[in-house]
Amino acid sequence: QTHVNVIGAGLAGSEAAWQLAKRGVTVHLYEMRPVKQTPAHHTDKFAELVCSNSLRGNALTNAVGVLKEEMRMLDSVIIRSADDAAVPAGGALAVDRHDFADKVTERVKNHPNVTVFNEEITKIPEGPTIIATGPLTSEHLSQQLRELTGEEYLYFYDAAAPIIETESIDMNKVYLKSRYDKGEAAYLNCPMTEDEFNRFYDALVEAETVPLKEFEKEIFFEGCMPIEVMAKRGRKTMLFGPMKPVGLEHPETGKRPYAVVQLRQDNTSGTLYNIVGFQTHLKWGPQKEVLKLIPGLENAEIVRYGVMHRNTFINSPNLLKSTYQYKDREDLFFAGQITGVEGYVESAAAGLVAGLNAANYVLGKDLITFPDTTVIGSMASYITTANSKNFQPMNANFGLLPPLEERIRDKKERYEQLANRAIGAIQNFVKKV
Ligand code: FAD
């Protein structure tokens, strides 16, 4: 039987290697650390957490909590090690980062089916392979990926605008219209009076931002400007940019607002909208406060905050199948942050699905797509069906799941039902895999 190459022993690569090995598949796991470090890693351990020691919420009223539960049921080495290395953190699953990384390293490295090579991969290998080299993929391999995917399908930064749940938008205040009524009305428009704009402007330029890391400073040379930086150029600058009101007169009154914030549909099912042109470096707390000042978004449920990161990722909607398989080469899989999922747990979840499917591939079994009613399946569905033109990485969130048959207004109750449906669906799948 052929072996599977796994490149990168981070969150995704470690999980993928584990899922392969436990199914009896031989794994060659390549990790460049400690021979070559990334700008964010400090150790030679597998699954090193480069920043926070929290794997976020653990409760089932939280999509990332449901995702963890799904992964527990699928025998995830990342979640098992996190549970074993947990430290008290209220409703979150936080870990002692050294203990956690030690446990993952031991379990994966000591598995008899896994052989570890400490070297940098600079060429995409032949034969069954999973690429899980993360947001800080080394330069040589990035170059190869660029050749594989085509230049326009590999990104080095994510400059993402906030994404909100459609259910939480006050539809009485916004209106559907495209600029100059061109094409089908596609945008939700949040109109502002001059007073509202001034209040919003003052809050935006005062709000606290995240300090840039040394290796992130080059982002601005790429010409994508955070909204707060644009605002600081002058009180009226945004009115000629993303907040331009011309052609967006109110369909009922015919009046032109002083300023407009546009929302663009973000997923095929229409449960999410993003705020056009609002990529930002604002800290999450202040970001929420500023966004609340936009008419219609007073109670907006933000499922993904705006960020600007150094982040290597591919245009998955064009390149990947929901099995995490590369469309043009069926023995090549991608996993982790490089696929456009965002976060520790999400990266590991992508590794789990890619590992499972690479195992099925070499064992001659059917490949698996998890139902989109599960959180793990909804992530795969999002990254492979999102609008490829403005594809940006995504966290696990309830907005990605198909709506319930019956509309439930109470958020907590809605989330509970979505969680129950997800866990029920995964139980059926556990038997299958
Ligand atoms: P990684 O965990 O980075 O694993 C990739 C591995 O591949 C690394 O070990 C690397 O050394 C190796 N590698 C790279 N190139 C090669 C090569 N050519 N050959 C061999 N090996 C190679 N998410 C959160 O949920 N919370 C946070 O607080 C958080 N903070 C972040 C901070 C920073 C600075 C960054 C960049 C990201 C952060 N993320 C955070 C996002 C993301 O969850 C993590 O980056 C996560 O580690 C991604 O998992 P991964 O397996 O895709 O990549």
Side-chain angles (χ1 to χ4, degrees), residues 326-383:
Y326 194 68
K327 281 183 184 164
D328 288 343
R329 190 184 136 181
E330 58 172 19
D331 67 350
L332 180 64
F333 295 77
F334 282 80
Q337 186 106 354
I338 202 164
T339 65
V341 301
E342 165 87 28
Y344 297 148
V345 183
E346 290 86 341
S347 295
L352 193 155
V353 184
L356 176 65
N357 275 325
N360 282 5
Y361 178 81
V362 296
L363 296 171
K365 296 184 178 170
D366 287 343
L367 272 58
I368 281 170
T369 296
F370 285 92
D372 62 1
T373 49
T374 61
V375 179
I376 201 166
S378 74
M379 299 290 315
S381 167
Y382 182 82
I383 62 159

Short mmCIF file of all heavy atoms in Angstrom, two decimals, residues 326-383:
data_model
loop_
_atom_site.label_atom_id
_atom_site.label_comp_id
_atom_site.label_asym_id
_atom_site.label_seq_id
_atom_site.Cartn_x
_atom_site.Cartn_y
_atom_site.Cartn_z
N TYR A 326 -8.02 18.46 -4.17
CA TYR A 326 -7.75 19.42 -5.23
C TYR A 326 -8.48 18.96 -6.50
O TYR A 326 -8.38 17.80 -6.89
CB TYR A 326 -6.23 19.48 -5.48
CG TYR A 326 -5.79 20.65 -6.31
CD1 TYR A 326 -5.89 21.94 -5.80
CD2 TYR A 326 -5.28 20.47 -7.59
CE1 TYR A 326 -5.49 23.04 -6.56
CE2 TYR A 326 -4.87 21.55 -8.35
CZ TYR A 326 -4.99 22.83 -7.83
OH TYR A 326 -4.59 23.90 -8.58
N LYS A 327 -9.21 19.88 -7.13
CA LYS A 327 -10.07 19.46 -8.25
C LYS A 327 -9.27 18.84 -9.40
O LYS A 327 -9.72 17.89 -10.02
CB LYS A 327 -10.86 20.66 -8.80
CG LYS A 327 -12.06 21.02 -7.96
CD LYS A 327 -12.84 22.16 -8.60
CE LYS A 327 -13.99 22.59 -7.71
NZ LYS A 327 -14.53 23.90 -8.09
N ASP A 328 -8.06 19.36 -9.65
CA ASP A 328 -7.32 18.89 -10.82
C ASP A 328 -6.32 17.76 -10.53
O ASP A 328 -5.56 17.37 -11.40
CB ASP A 328 -6.54 20.06 -11.46
CG ASP A 328 -7.48 21.00 -12.18
OD1 ASP A 328 -8.63 20.59 -12.44
OD2 ASP A 328 -7.08 22.14 -12.45
N ARG A 329 -6.27 17.33 -9.26
CA ARG A 329 -5.37 16.21 -8.96
C ARG A 329 -5.97 15.46 -7.79
O ARG A 329 -5.89 15.90 -6.64
CB ARG A 329 -3.96 16.76 -8.62
CG ARG A 329 -2.92 15.67 -8.54
CD ARG A 329 -1.55 16.18 -8.11
NE ARG A 329 -1.01 15.27 -7.13
CZ ARG A 329 0.15 15.41 -6.52
NH1 ARG A 329 0.91 16.47 -6.77
NH2 ARG A 329 0.56 14.54 -5.63
N GLU A 330 -6.55 14.31 -8.07
CA GLU A 330 -7.40 13.69 -7.04
C GLU A 330 -6.63 13.09 -5.86
O GLU A 330 -7.23 12.83 -4.83
CB GLU A 330 -8.34 12.66 -7.65
CG GLU A 330 -7.65 11.54 -8.40
CD GLU A 330 -8.66 10.46 -8.80
OE1 GLU A 330 -9.88 10.74 -8.83
OE2 GLU A 330 -8.21 9.34 -9.07
N ASP A 331 -5.30 12.93 -5.99
CA ASP A 331 -4.56 12.41 -4.84
C ASP A 331 -3.90 13.54 -4.03
O ASP A 331 -3.07 13.31 -3.17
CB ASP A 331 -3.52 11.37 -5.27
CG ASP A 331 -2.40 11.96 -6.11
OD1 ASP A 331 -2.52 13.14 -6.51
OD2 ASP A 331 -1.41 11.26 -6.36
N LEU A 332 -4.30 14.79 -4.33
CA LEU A 332 -3.75 15.93 -3.59
C LEU A 332 -4.85 16.57 -2.75
O LEU A 332 -5.93 16.89 -3.28
CB LEU A 332 -3.17 16.95 -4.59
CG LEU A 332 -2.54 18.20 -3.98
CD1 LEU A 332 -1.32 17.84 -3.13
CD2 LEU A 332 -2.13 19.19 -5.07
N PHE A 333 -4.57 16.73 -1.46
CA PHE A 333 -5.55 17.32 -0.55
C PHE A 333 -4.94 18.55 0.10
O PHE A 333 -3.72 18.64 0.25
CB PHE A 333 -5.91 16.32 0.57
CG PHE A 333 -6.62 15.08 0.07
CD1 PHE A 333 -5.92 14.05 -0.57
CD2 PHE A 333 -7.98 14.91 0.26
CE1 PHE A 333 -6.56 12.91 -1.01
CE2 PHE A 333 -8.65 13.77 -0.19
CZ PHE A 333 -7.93 12.76 -0.82
N PHE A 334 -5.78 19.46 0.53
CA PHE A 334 -5.33 20.62 1.32
C PHE A 334 -6.05 20.58 2.65
O PHE A 334 -7.18 20.09 2.74
CB PHE A 334 -5.64 21.93 0.60
CG PHE A 334 -4.68 22.24 -0.51
CD1 PHE A 334 -4.80 21.64 -1.75
CD2 PHE A 334 -3.63 23.13 -0.30
CE1 PHE A 334 -3.90 21.91 -2.78
CE2 PHE A 334 -2.73 23.42 -1.33
CZ PHE A 334 -2.87 22.81 -2.56
N ALA A 335 -5.39 21.11 3.70
CA ALA A 335 -6.04 21.11 5.01
C ALA A 335 -5.55 22.29 5.84
O ALA A 335 -4.42 22.74 5.68
CB ALA A 335 -5.74 19.81 5.74
N GLY A 336 -6.42 22.79 6.71
CA GLY A 336 -6.02 23.84 7.64
C GLY A 336 -6.27 25.22 7.08
O GLY A 336 -7.00 25.41 6.10
N GLN A 337 -5.60 26.17 7.69
CA GLN A 337 -5.85 27.58 7.39
C GLN A 337 -5.62 27.89 5.90
O GLN A 337 -6.24 28.78 5.35
CB GLN A 337 -4.91 28.40 8.28
CG GLN A 337 -5.13 29.89 8.22
CD GLN A 337 -5.82 30.48 9.44
OE1 GLN A 337 -6.27 29.76 10.34
NE2 GLN A 337 -5.94 31.77 9.48
N ILE A 338 -4.78 27.13 5.25
CA ILE A 338 -4.47 27.37 3.84
C ILE A 338 -5.69 27.15 2.94
O ILE A 338 -5.74 27.63 1.82
CB ILE A 338 -3.26 26.49 3.40
CG1 ILE A 338 -2.59 27.08 2.16
CG2 ILE A 338 -3.66 25.05 3.17
CD1 ILE A 338 -1.21 26.53 1.90
N THR A 339 -6.71 26.46 3.46
CA THR A 339 -7.93 26.24 2.66
C THR A 339 -8.93 27.37 2.82
O THR A 339 -9.97 27.39 2.16
CB THR A 339 -8.66 24.94 3.07
OG1 THR A 339 -9.14 25.10 4.42
CG2 THR A 339 -7.77 23.73 3.00
N GLY A 340 -8.63 28.30 3.75
CA GLY A 340 -9.57 29.40 3.96
C GLY A 340 -10.50 29.18 5.14
O GLY A 340 -11.46 29.92 5.31
N VAL A 341 -10.22 28.14 5.96
CA VAL A 341 -10.90 28.10 7.25
C VAL A 341 -10.04 28.95 8.19
O VAL A 341 -8.86 29.17 7.92
CB VAL A 341 -11.09 26.67 7.79
CG1 VAL A 341 -11.90 25.85 6.83
CG2 VAL A 341 -9.75 26.01 8.10
N GLU A 342 -10.65 29.44 9.27
CA GLU A 342 -9.90 30.36 10.13
C GLU A 342 -10.02 29.91 11.58
O GLU A 342 -11.13 29.71 12.07
CB GLU A 342 -10.49 31.77 9.94
CG GLU A 342 -10.12 32.80 10.98
CD GLU A 342 -8.82 33.52 10.65
OE1 GLU A 342 -8.50 33.65 9.46
OE2 GLU A 342 -8.16 33.95 11.61
N GLY A 343 -8.89 29.73 12.24
CA GLY A 343 -8.91 29.38 13.66
C GLY A 343 -8.27 28.03 13.93
O GLY A 343 -8.17 27.19 13.04
N TYR A 344 -7.86 27.84 15.18
CA TYR A 344 -7.19 26.59 15.58
C TYR A 344 -8.10 25.38 15.34
O TYR A 344 -7.70 24.39 14.74
CB TYR A 344 -6.86 26.60 17.07
CG TYR A 344 -5.89 27.65 17.56
CD1 TYR A 344 -6.03 28.17 18.86
CD2 TYR A 344 -4.82 28.11 16.78
CE1 TYR A 344 -5.14 29.10 19.37
CE2 TYR A 344 -3.94 29.05 17.29
CZ TYR A 344 -4.10 29.55 18.58
OH TYR A 344 -3.22 30.47 19.08
N VAL A 345 -9.33 25.46 15.89
CA VAL A 345 -10.22 24.30 15.85
C VAL A 345 -10.67 24.02 14.41
O VAL A 345 -10.69 22.87 13.96
CB VAL A 345 -11.45 24.51 16.77
CG1 VAL A 345 -12.34 23.29 16.78
CG2 VAL A 345 -10.99 24.85 18.18
N GLU A 346 -10.98 25.09 13.70
CA GLU A 346 -11.41 24.95 12.31
C GLU A 346 -10.30 24.32 11.47
O GLU A 346 -10.56 23.48 10.59
CB GLU A 346 -11.77 26.33 11.73
CG GLU A 346 -13.04 26.94 12.31
CD GLU A 346 -12.84 27.72 13.61
OE1 GLU A 346 -11.80 27.53 14.28
OE2 GLU A 346 -13.72 28.53 13.96
N SER A 347 -9.03 24.73 11.72
CA SER A 347 -7.90 24.17 10.97
C SER A 347 -7.78 22.68 11.25
O SER A 347 -7.62 21.86 10.34
CB SER A 347 -6.61 24.88 11.36
OG SER A 347 -6.68 26.23 10.97
N ALA A 348 -7.88 22.32 12.54
CA ALA A 348 -7.80 20.90 12.91
C ALA A 348 -8.96 20.12 12.28
O ALA A 348 -8.77 19.00 11.79
CB ALA A 348 -7.81 20.75 14.42
N ALA A 349 -10.15 20.73 12.24
CA ALA A 349 -11.31 20.05 11.66
C ALA A 349 -11.08 19.77 10.17
O ALA A 349 -11.41 18.70 9.67
CB ALA A 349 -12.57 20.89 11.84
N ALA A 350 -10.49 20.73 9.48
CA ALA A 350 -10.19 20.54 8.06
C ALA A 350 -9.17 19.40 7.92
O ALA A 350 -9.26 18.58 6.99
CB ALA A 350 -9.65 21.83 7.45
N GLY A 351 -8.22 19.33 8.84
CA GLY A 351 -7.22 18.25 8.83
C GLY A 351 -7.89 16.90 9.03
O GLY A 351 -7.51 15.91 8.42
N LEU A 352 -8.90 16.90 9.90
CA LEU A 352 -9.61 15.64 10.17
C LEU A 352 -10.29 15.13 8.89
O LEU A 352 -10.14 13.97 8.52
CB LEU A 352 -10.64 15.89 11.29
CG LEU A 352 -11.28 14.67 11.93
CD1 LEU A 352 -11.75 15.02 13.35
CD2 LEU A 352 -12.45 14.13 11.15
N VAL A 353 -10.99 16.02 8.21
CA VAL A 353 -11.72 15.58 7.00
C VAL A 353 -10.73 15.19 5.89
O VAL A 353 -10.91 14.17 5.21
CB VAL A 353 -12.68 16.68 6.50
CG1 VAL A 353 -13.49 16.17 5.31
CG2 VAL A 353 -13.62 17.13 7.62
N ALA A 354 -9.67 15.99 5.74
CA ALA A 354 -8.69 15.68 4.68
C ALA A 354 -7.99 14.34 4.99
O ALA A 354 -7.78 13.52 4.09
CB ALA A 354 -7.67 16.80 4.55
N GLY A 355 -7.65 14.12 6.27
CA GLY A 355 -6.97 12.87 6.66
C GLY A 355 -7.86 11.66 6.41
O GLY A 355 -7.45 10.65 5.83
N LEU A 356 -9.10 11.80 6.85
CA LEU A 356 -10.08 10.73 6.67
C LEU A 356 -10.26 10.41 5.18
O LEU A 356 -10.27 9.25 4.77
CB LEU A 356 -11.39 11.28 7.26
CG LEU A 356 -12.67 10.51 7.17
CD1 LEU A 356 -12.52 9.25 7.98
CD2 LEU A 356 -13.78 11.36 7.78
N ASN A 357 -10.36 11.45 4.37
CA ASN A 357 -10.59 11.21 2.94
C ASN A 357 -9.34 10.71 2.22
O ASN A 357 -9.45 9.89 1.32
CB ASN A 357 -11.14 12.48 2.27
CG ASN A 357 -12.65 12.56 2.44
OD1 ASN A 357 -13.34 11.54 2.43
ND2 ASN A 357 -13.16 13.76 2.64
N ALA A 358 -8.17 11.18 2.64
CA ALA A 358 -6.94 10.66 2.03
C ALA A 358 -6.80 9.18 2.37
O ALA A 358 -6.37 8.37 1.53
CB ALA A 358 -5.73 11.45 2.51
N ALA A 359 -7.20 8.80 3.59
CA ALA A 359 -7.16 7.38 3.98
C ALA A 359 -8.12 6.60 3.09
O ALA A 359 -7.74 5.57 2.51
CB ALA A 359 -7.54 7.22 5.45
N ASN A 360 -9.34 7.07 2.96
CA ASN A 360 -10.30 6.37 2.11
C ASN A 360 -9.80 6.28 0.67
O ASN A 360 -10.00 5.27 0.00
CB ASN A 360 -11.66 7.08 2.16
CG ASN A 360 -12.41 6.73 3.43
OD1 ASN A 360 -11.89 6.05 4.31
ND2 ASN A 360 -13.63 7.21 3.54
N TYR A 361 -9.13 7.34 0.24
CA TYR A 361 -8.61 7.35 -1.14
C TYR A 361 -7.61 6.20 -1.35
O TYR A 361 -7.75 5.42 -2.29
CB TYR A 361 -7.95 8.70 -1.44
CG TYR A 361 -7.36 8.76 -2.81
CD1 TYR A 361 -8.15 9.02 -3.92
CD2 TYR A 361 -6.00 8.53 -3.01
CE1 TYR A 361 -7.61 9.04 -5.19
CE2 TYR A 361 -5.45 8.55 -4.28
CZ TYR A 361 -6.26 8.80 -5.37
OH TYR A 361 -5.73 8.81 -6.63
N VAL A 362 -6.62 6.07 -0.44
CA VAL A 362 -5.62 5.01 -0.66
C VAL A 362 -6.18 3.61 -0.33
O VAL A 362 -5.69 2.63 -0.84
CB VAL A 362 -4.29 5.24 0.11
CG1 VAL A 362 -3.58 6.48 -0.38
CG2 VAL A 362 -4.48 5.28 1.60
N LEU A 363 -7.22 3.57 0.49
CA LEU A 363 -7.81 2.28 0.83
C LEU A 363 -8.89 1.86 -0.18
O LEU A 363 -9.52 0.81 -0.04
CB LEU A 363 -8.42 2.31 2.24
CG LEU A 363 -7.42 2.55 3.39
CD1 LEU A 363 -8.15 2.80 4.70
CD2 LEU A 363 -6.43 1.40 3.52
N GLY A 364 -9.10 2.71 -1.18
CA GLY A 364 -10.07 2.39 -2.23
C GLY A 364 -11.52 2.49 -1.77
O GLY A 364 -12.41 1.84 -2.34
N LYS A 365 -11.76 3.29 -0.72
CA LYS A 365 -13.14 3.45 -0.25
C LYS A 365 -13.72 4.76 -0.78
O LYS A 365 -13.00 5.63 -1.26
CB LYS A 365 -13.15 3.50 1.28
CG LYS A 365 -12.69 2.22 1.94
CD LYS A 365 -12.84 2.37 3.45
CE LYS A 365 -12.45 1.11 4.17
NZ LYS A 365 -12.37 1.32 5.61
N ASP A 366 -15.04 4.92 -0.60
CA ASP A 366 -15.70 6.17 -1.02
C ASP A 366 -15.24 7.34 -0.17
O ASP A 366 -15.08 7.20 1.04
CB ASP A 366 -17.22 6.05 -0.88
CG ASP A 366 -17.81 5.15 -1.95
OD1 ASP A 366 -17.10 4.88 -2.95
OD2 ASP A 366 -18.96 4.70 -1.76
N LEU A 367 -15.08 8.49 -0.80
CA LEU A 367 -14.72 9.69 -0.04
C LEU A 367 -15.96 10.28 0.62
O LEU A 367 -17.09 10.03 0.17
CB LEU A 367 -14.02 10.70 -0.95
CG LEU A 367 -12.49 10.46 -1.01
CD1 LEU A 367 -12.13 9.11 -1.48
CD2 LEU A 367 -11.81 11.54 -1.82
N ILE A 368 -15.72 11.06 1.69
CA ILE A 368 -16.85 11.51 2.50
C ILE A 368 -17.02 13.03 2.48
O ILE A 368 -16.06 13.77 2.66
CB ILE A 368 -16.66 11.00 3.95
CG1 ILE A 368 -17.07 9.53 3.97
CG2 ILE A 368 -17.48 11.80 4.95
CD1 ILE A 368 -16.72 8.83 5.22
N THR A 369 -18.24 13.46 2.26
CA THR A 369 -18.60 14.87 2.46
C THR A 369 -19.58 14.90 3.61
O THR A 369 -20.63 14.25 3.56
CB THR A 369 -19.28 15.43 1.19
OG1 THR A 369 -18.33 15.41 0.13
CG2 THR A 369 -19.74 16.87 1.41
N PHE A 370 -19.25 15.61 4.67
CA PHE A 370 -20.16 15.69 5.81
C PHE A 370 -21.35 16.57 5.45
O PHE A 370 -21.20 17.55 4.71
CB PHE A 370 -19.44 16.25 7.04
CG PHE A 370 -18.52 15.26 7.67
CD1 PHE A 370 -17.18 15.19 7.30
CD2 PHE A 370 -18.99 14.37 8.62
CE1 PHE A 370 -16.33 14.25 7.86
CE2 PHE A 370 -18.15 13.42 9.19
CZ PHE A 370 -16.81 13.37 8.81
N PRO A 371 -22.54 16.24 5.99
CA PRO A 371 -23.71 17.06 5.66
C PRO A 371 -23.53 18.51 6.11
O PRO A 371 -22.88 18.75 7.14
CB PRO A 371 -24.86 16.40 6.44
CG PRO A 371 -24.28 15.33 7.27
CD PRO A 371 -22.84 15.14 6.92
N ASP A 372 -24.11 19.45 5.38
CA ASP A 372 -23.90 20.86 5.75
C ASP A 372 -24.72 21.27 6.98
O ASP A 372 -24.62 22.39 7.44
CB ASP A 372 -24.12 21.79 4.56
CG ASP A 372 -25.53 21.74 4.03
OD1 ASP A 372 -26.35 20.99 4.59
OD2 ASP A 372 -25.81 22.46 3.05
N THR A 373 -25.51 20.34 7.52
CA THR A 373 -26.19 20.62 8.79
C THR A 373 -25.23 20.41 9.97
O THR A 373 -25.56 20.77 11.10
CB THR A 373 -27.41 19.69 8.98
OG1 THR A 373 -26.99 18.36 8.72
CG2 THR A 373 -28.54 20.08 8.04
N THR A 374 -24.06 19.79 9.72
CA THR A 374 -23.05 19.69 10.78
C THR A 374 -22.12 20.89 10.64
O THR A 374 -21.98 21.44 9.54
CB THR A 374 -22.21 18.40 10.63
OG1 THR A 374 -21.52 18.44 9.37
CG2 THR A 374 -23.08 17.16 10.66
N VAL A 375 -21.46 21.28 11.73
CA VAL A 375 -20.56 22.44 11.63
C VAL A 375 -19.35 22.06 10.77
O VAL A 375 -18.90 22.85 9.93
CB VAL A 375 -20.16 22.95 13.03
CG1 VAL A 375 -19.21 24.12 12.91
CG2 VAL A 375 -21.40 23.34 13.82
N ILE A 376 -18.85 20.84 10.95
CA ILE A 376 -17.67 20.42 10.18
C ILE A 376 -18.01 20.41 8.68
O ILE A 376 -17.19 20.82 7.85
CB ILE A 376 -17.15 19.04 10.70
CG1 ILE A 376 -15.70 18.83 10.31
CG2 ILE A 376 -18.01 17.87 10.25
CD1 ILE A 376 -15.03 17.67 11.06
N GLY A 377 -19.21 19.98 8.35
CA GLY A 377 -19.64 19.96 6.95
C GLY A 377 -19.93 21.36 6.42
O GLY A 377 -19.67 21.65 5.25
N SER A 378 -20.45 22.23 7.28
CA SER A 378 -20.78 23.59 6.82
C SER A 378 -19.52 24.37 6.47
O SER A 378 -19.53 25.22 5.58
CB SER A 378 -21.59 24.34 7.89
OG SER A 378 -20.77 24.72 8.96
N MET A 379 -18.42 24.07 7.15
CA MET A 379 -17.15 24.75 6.84
C MET A 379 -16.68 24.35 5.43
O MET A 379 -16.29 25.18 4.62
CB MET A 379 -16.03 24.35 7.83
CG MET A 379 -16.24 24.68 9.27
SD MET A 379 -16.18 26.41 9.71
CE MET A 379 -14.79 27.05 8.87
N ALA A 380 -16.73 23.03 5.17
CA ALA A 380 -16.30 22.54 3.85
C ALA A 380 -17.21 23.10 2.77
O ALA A 380 -16.76 23.50 1.69
CB ALA A 380 -16.35 21.02 3.82
N SER A 381 -18.50 23.17 3.07
CA SER A 381 -19.44 23.69 2.10
C SER A 381 -19.15 25.17 1.83
O SER A 381 -19.12 25.61 0.69
CB SER A 381 -20.86 23.50 2.65
OG SER A 381 -21.77 24.24 1.91
N TYR A 382 -18.90 25.94 2.90
CA TYR A 382 -18.63 27.37 2.71
C TYR A 382 -17.39 27.60 1.83
O TYR A 382 -17.44 28.34 0.85
CB TYR A 382 -18.45 28.10 4.05
CG TYR A 382 -18.23 29.58 3.84
CD1 TYR A 382 -19.30 30.43 3.64
CD2 TYR A 382 -16.94 30.13 3.79
CE1 TYR A 382 -19.11 31.79 3.40
CE2 TYR A 382 -16.74 31.47 3.54
CZ TYR A 382 -17.83 32.30 3.35
OH TYR A 382 -17.63 33.63 3.11
N ILE A 383 -16.28 26.95 2.21
CA ILE A 383 -15.05 27.27 1.47
C ILE A 383 -15.10 26.79 0.01
O ILE A 383 -14.36 27.28 -0.82
CB ILE A 383 -13.77 26.74 2.15
CG1 ILE A 383 -13.79 25.23 2.26
CG2 ILE A 383 -13.55 27.41 3.50
CD1 ILE A 383 -12.41 24.63 2.43
#
